[in-house]
Each structure stands twice: as structure tokens, then as C-alpha cells.
Amino acid sequence: MSRWLRAVLALSAAFLSSTIIGVALAAPSQAVSINLPDLVGDEGPSSAIVLLLSLTVLAVAPALLLMVTSFTKIIVVLSITRNALGLQGVPPNQVLAGLAIFLSLFVMSPVLTLVNTDALQPYLDGTISFGEAFDLGRVPLEEFMLANTRPEELALMVQVSSETPPATPADVSLTTLVPAFILSELRAAFIIGFVIFLPFLIIDMVVSSSLMSVGMIMLPPVLVSLPFKLLLFVLVDGWALIISSVVGSYG
């Protein structure tokens, strides 16, 4: 009985499918048209283009934050500090990233103010086009990157890119300036990290030698030296010294 029931259900499903397909094929084809609103009106960009630009900025914001701001140096220095202390997960990555973001906003506030005043607000008011806003907005960022890029890294990237050597550093293209700026930031971060590592390395060596002299070979030196490194870091107000050094390196 169940076999007959399954057969009837299968025939019914096949008949229903063929009926739907026939109706779909018999229906007259209609063209589908999509009408887009004007992207730029007489009084400035429409809400659609503003929303599109906002979503685009949010999508590429992490890459822009890493490439053209002080975020790279700050996050590398904070990570090296955590490793020098011997702490694997404290402070967490989210805390370090959040601190680096707010410090980057503090360092970049004059540049972002110029970008907002010279490019973003005139574009939103409709007084300039998007191309003009982009050209005006990139000027403060390029000046910031040029001021914090070593000539050696800039010459290296010009040589690697096989471009014609520019007459002045201001004539360097953005695709050449950005990697040169990142290399300069990494070099400065590693120099600061080396200075941070030295006192903690000395503590590790002293503790390790002391443990070996008393025959406590099985006791991990890192476990014993960690409280002393934390005590030294707190006594000298390490976070304030590191943040002031990193922020002060941008003049």
C-alpha cells in the first residue's frame, strides 16, 4: 500500500512541476530595467552615493589604517613590549589594537582635520567633485608620510619600482610613498623595541645565572623573572614612557 502511495505522490509532483514550467514558458518575456538615481545633483551628492562611499570607506578602513597612519609603529611597539615582559596573552590583542587605534587618532588628528575641512566637507556641500576631493584629501596624508619617511626607504622603493627618479620627494607617486612609509615605520618600531628589550633581557640573564649558581636547574627562569620585570615596569611607569616616546617620535 505504501508503495502505491509513493508512486501516486511522485506522479503528482511531476505533473505539478511540468505545469509550472509550461506556464513560465508561455508567459511573455518582459525586460527588467533598473533605474539608478543621479549620483550627483545640483546641491551635492545624493544620499545613495554618500551611503555607497560610506560603505566603501568602512570596507577599506583597516587597510588605510595600517598603511597611511601611525598605527603600524604603535601596534608593533606595543606587541614587542608585551613579548619583552614575557606575557603571551596579557594585555589581549583587542586591548592593544584598541589602544593603538586611539593613539593613532590622537597622532593623526591634525591631518584628519585638514582632510575633513579641505576635502570632505566641500564635497558633501556640493562645491567640488569627487575627483577634486580626492586630490585635496591626499595632500595632508602625503605630507604626513613624507615627513616620517626616511630618504633611504624612499630611494629604495623608487629603485624597485623602476620609475624615473623624481625631482623632489613631493613628486613621488602614492604607490611608491606608501610602502616606503611602512618600511620606515617598521624600522623605527624595531629600534624602540630593541631599547625596550634590553633591561628585561638583563633581568632574565641575572635570574638565570642565579638559579644555576644555587643548583635550581629545573625551575624555569622565565617564571622567576616575570615578577621582577613587572615590578620594574610598574616602578618606571613603563606604559607612560612607551606611549610618550612613540607619540613624541612624530614631532
Side-chain angles (χ1 to χ4, degrees):
M1 183 67 181
S2 59
R3 185 167 51 187
W4 284 102
L5 181 60
R6 287 196 297 267
V8 171
L9 291 176
L11 290 176
S12 301
F15 176 76
L16 181 61
S17 300
S18 61
T19 303
I20 294 175
I21 294 174
V23 172
L25 293 176
S29 59
Q30 296 180 355
V32 178
S33 60
I34 300 177
N35 296 323
L36 294 176
D38 294 334
L39 297 182
V40 180
D42 297 334
E43 299 180 355
S46 62
S47 58
I49 189 62
V50 172
L51 178 60
L52 179 62
L53 290 176
S54 302
L55 294 177
T56 304
V57 170
L58 290 177
V60 302
L64 293 177
L65 183 66
L66 290 174
M67 291 188 297
V68 300
T69 66
S70 59
F71 180 83
T72 301
K73 180 195 291 186
I74 295 174
I75 192 64
V76 170
V77 170
L78 293 179
S79 300
I80 291 177
T81 302
R82 182 178 64 179
N83 293 334
L85 287 170
L87 303 173
Q88 300 300 324
V90 180
N93 293 329
Q94 293 84 353
V95 175
L96 294 182
L99 180 60
I101 289 174
F102 280 100
L103 290 177
S104 300
L105 291 176
F106 177 76
V107 172
M108 300 295 298
S109 58
V111 179
L112 297 178
T113 301
L114 289 176
V115 172
N116 181 63
T117 304
D118 298 341
L120 182 59
Q121 293 302 324
Y123 172 69
L124 295 178
D125 294 337
T127 56
I128 60 176
S129 63
F130 176 77
E132 294 173 342
F134 177 78
D135 293 335
L136 292 174
R138 62 184 287 182
V139 173
L141 290 174
E142 289 180 349
E143 293 178 352
F144 171 80
M145 288 188 288
L146 282 173
N148 295 279
T149 302
R150 297 175 67 242
E152 290 80 2
E153 274 77 16
L154 201 58
L156 172 64
M157 294 309 305
V158 171
Q159 181 182 0
V160 170
S161 62
S162 300
E163 295 181 356
T164 303
T168 60
D171 298 331
V172 177
S173 62
L174 192 62
T175 55
T176 303
L177 177 59
V178 171
F181 170 72
I182 295 176
L183 291 177
S184 298
E185 293 288 278
L186 290 176
R187 179 182 181 276
F190 286 168
I191 292 175
I192 298 176
F194 172 76
V195 176
I196 294 172
F197 246 102
L198 281 181
F200 300 119
L201 179 61
I202 294 174
I203 292 177
D204 287 333
M205 294 175 62
V206 171
V207 171
S208 179
S209 301
S210 301
L211 292 177
M212 292 183 64
S213 64
V214 298
M216 303 177 65
I217 304 176
M218 301 302 294
L219 186 62
V222 177
L223 182 62
V224 179
S225 63
L226 180 58
F228 296 100
K229 290 191 288 187
L230 290 177
L231 179 62
L232 175 64
F233 193 74
V234 172
L235 289 177
V236 300
D237 201 2
W239 289 118
L241 290 176
I242 292 172
I243 291 175
S244 61
S245 300
V246 174
V247 174
S249 64
Y250 292 98

